[in-house]
Amino acid sequence: MSTSASTSTSTTTSTTTTATTTATAPLDTEARDTPRSRRRGLSPGRRLPATRLIGPALLLALWAAASAAGQLDPGAIPAPWTVVRTAGHLWSAGTLPTDILTSLERAAYGFAIGLTAGVVLALASGLSRVGEALIDGTVNLNRAIPTLGLIPLFILWLGIGEAFKIAIIAIVVYIPIYLNTHAALSGIDSRFVELAEVQGLSRLQFVRKIVVPGALPGFFVGLRLGVTGSWLGLVVLEQINATSGLGYMMFQAQNYGQSDVILVGLLVYGVFGLISDSVVRLIERRVLSWRRTLSS
Amino acid sequence: MAPHTEQLTRPAVQLRSLTRSFEDRTVLDGIDLDIPAGQFVALLGHSGSGKSTLLRAIAGLDHNVAGSGHLTAPERVSVVFQDSRLLPWRRVLDNVLLGTDGQDKGRAALAEVGLKGRERAWPSELSGGEAQRAALARSLVREPELLLADEPFGALDALTRIRMHGLLRQLWQRHQPSVLLVTHDVDEAIVLADRVLVLDSGRIGVDLTIDRPHPRSYRDPLLGEYREQLLAALGVVEDPA
């Protein structure tokens, strides 16, 4: 306690000294730094609000400027306002909401299944040697096979309806979630395992209080990759025997040469991708508030 | 405050020809040791002399280590490690209560180590000394009969270490656990412990009772004699110049 008292006194003294210097020489602020300049910080600095939107906004401005200047072929890349107008038409005609809903539903089902599978498999393989022997190699084999290459097989097995689309999305989602969660689980510091033994934790308590929270950072990395993956898979899948959905809308537009509709589709994908990623980041920051890293 | 009177009761720790070896290297070579209940023992030795192996054996942490011999230790054993080993994702109070419950007990333990008001802090917000205090609180809250400490102050700066010495001694007097303090610091051992052991090639080479009242000063000339004796046992010759 005595040290903390002495630190506080020393701080007060230093503040008083600074105060006197500033009082006597108010213009001297820069000079005060010269005898021993501060080290350059290696952390990227404080986070500014909504900075992540600057890049996309700049890109949009460039696009609008080029269109207005007549530098872009409107048949290939229509102006932003054309895209917005088309989106308005499609929305009021009722096709865009239906397509979005269908796509959202597919992505959500596939994502939910993939998330559950990824977490359950990672826990089973990370917490038991038998589980690891059975699961880890199998998942890595699955990872080595391009998921989109499984489409023909899945159509044969599950029919050409919704089931195979959801199954493919689930696979795209579960792999990064499994890999990152499993890596985080096996990377738990052995010193914490020792601590759990010393503190007499039961196996369940050990999992709940040490393993799961310790693996959360890795899980969130996987989750973000999975969320993006579910949207990526969708574009390809909706080319195949779909009658609605954003991908379907875009490929129809390709047949009729409607580049503005294609851009509407891409825009919606982009917006949803960005929103879902931001939601995951937000949850991540809430849950991992104990972490002090570069990003905080 | 006379731990020696309790020597008549059953010893807290009893080792009989305890042997531990890693592959073909024998680290502990038939150790016989009794630690009476409530005694404060310091264990000295070179690095690699088996201090930590002995402590881990008593703590029951040496899975997959080959060995033989007889070992009894009390039921409630706490361990303080060199690093505070606080879980970064649990607040200080939750760290203290890891494996037990009782908010009030945890708060009391934190107050006892001088961390009142830091219950809700994250471990990353604590200084090294504060983190080690929290680790002490975590070991106290379980009301241990035996406190094992593996170089608990090794990573602290000299000033913090001196204050921690006072704190540990205070806590020991209040709770009266047996203490086995592993350290490489001869002064730390002499100032804190009532009995100092030197581990040498897997055996206890020196078993010294330090019969000086507490609180002890580093400048106590009588402690200097103990110091020389222990340094000689450790094979350190002080340069007179």
Side-chain angles (χ1 to χ4, degrees), chain B:
Chain B
M1 237 25 60
H4 301 287
T5 54
E6 290 169 39
Q7 273 182 9
L8 294 171
T9 58
R10 196 173 59 88
V13 177
Q14 198 166 37
L15 310 180
R16 290 291 173 270
S17 50
L18 192 78
T19 305
R20 290 287 184 272
S21 50
F22 294 101
E23 281 155 22
D24 53 347
R25 200 168 62 89
T26 305
V27 179
L28 301 180
D29 186 13
I31 289 189
D32 294 311
L33 174 68
D34 283 346
I35 299 178
Q39 192 175 50
F40 198 131
V41 181
L43 179 64
L44 283 169
H46 292 288
S47 45
S49 61
K51 305 188 294 278
S52 290
T53 311
L54 180 58
L55 181 129
R56 294 168 63 83
I58 299 173
L61 284 173
D62 54 348
H63 323 290
N64 312 321
V65 178
S68 61
H70 173 78
L71 187 159
T72 38
E75 199 179 313
R76 294 195 307 276
V77 179
S78 284
V79 182
V80 184
F81 301 95
Q82 181 170 11
D83 59 307
S84 62
R85 219 163 282 200
L86 300 172
L87 298 170
W89 48 82
R90 289 172 80 83
R91 293 182 191 273
V92 170
L93 182 60
D94 295 329
N95 258 297
V96 168
L97 291 173
L98 186 72
T100 51
D101 40 30
Q103 293 267 319
D104 295 336
K105 262 197 311 175
R107 282 173 201 283
L110 277 172
E112 230 183 319
V113 299
L115 284 178
K116 198 174 162 61
R118 304 303 305 271
E119 292 87 354
R120 301 272 303 149
W122 294 112
S124 59
E125 296 166 342
L126 301 182
S127 69
E130 285 175 326
Q132 206 56 326
R133 282 160 188 266
L136 264 179
R138 180 180 59 200
S139 66
L140 278 180
V141 90
R142 309 164 60 78
E143 290 164 14
E145 297 159 89
L146 172 64
L147 179 66
L148 299 170
D150 193 357
E151 300 193 17
F153 313 129
L156 301 177
D157 63 272
L159 293 175
T160 312
R161 196 179 309 163
I162 291 172
R163 282 193 298 141
M164 291 293 282
H165 287 166
L167 178 67
L168 179 62
R169 190 72 201 179
Q170 237 176 48
L171 294 171
W172 171 77
Q173 286 184 336
R174 208 172 305 150
H175 299 272
Q176 292 284 308
S178 314
V179 176
L180 181 64
L181 171 76
V182 167
T183 176
H184 56 252
D185 183 342
V186 175
D187 290 320
E188 183 171 285
I190 298 170
V191 163
L192 285 174
D194 298 316
R195 180 179 173 198
V196 181
L197 309 172
V198 177
L199 200 59
D200 187 19
S201 352
R203 293 174 165 277
I204 290 171
V206 175
D207 185 342
L208 196 65
T209 304
I210 300 197
D211 206 3
R212 298 289 300 155
H214 285 277
R216 295 178 186 154
S217 157
Y218 285 101
R219 290 185 303 275
D220 185 337
L222 277 169
L223 289 182
E225 285 173 27
Y226 289 118
R227 187 166 184 274
E228 269 167 44
Q229 216 175 323
L230 288 168
L231 284 173
L234 287 163
V236 180
V237 184
E238 276 188 294
D239 193 0

Side-chain angles (χ1 to χ4, degrees), chain A residues 165-190:
Chain A
K165 296 191 182 74
I166 290 170
I168 294 284
I169 292 174
I171 291 182
V172 172
V173 170
Y174 104 93
I175 288 177
I177 292 181
Y178 170 86
L179 285 176
N180 287 287
T181 312
H182 181 250
L185 283 172
S186 26
I188 291 207
D189 201 327
S190 64

Side-chain angles (χ1 to χ4, degrees), chain A residues 11-85:
Chain A
T11 345
T12 1
T13 6
S14 68
T15 6
T16 12
T17 352
T18 349
T20 23
T21 349
T22 11
T24 45
L27 295 172
D28 212 359
T29 36
E30 280 143 321
R32 188 157 49 87
D33 275 0
T34 31
R36 198 191 189 295
S37 61
R38 279 202 201 172
R39 262 182 219 292
R40 192 187 313 159
L42 290 174
S43 151
R46 203 151 18 114
R47 181 182 284 276
L48 302 168
T51 35
R52 265 153 34 89
L53 292 176
I54 290 177
L58 207 67
L59 212 63
L60 193 69
L62 261 171
W63 176 19
S67 299
Q71 293 294 309
L72 295 175
D73 172 13
I77 308 176
W81 42 89
T82 322
V83 175
V84 171
R85 204 179 310 128

Side-chain angles (χ1 to χ4, degrees), chain A residues 121 125 130-145 174-175 178-179:
Chain A
L121 289 174
S125 124
V130 179
E132 187 167 29
L134 292 175
I135 295 165
D136 197 52
T138 321
V139 174
N140 277 296
L141 185 72
N142 187 179
R143 184 169 76 104
I145 301 170
Y174 104 93
I175 288 177
Y178 170 86
L179 285 176

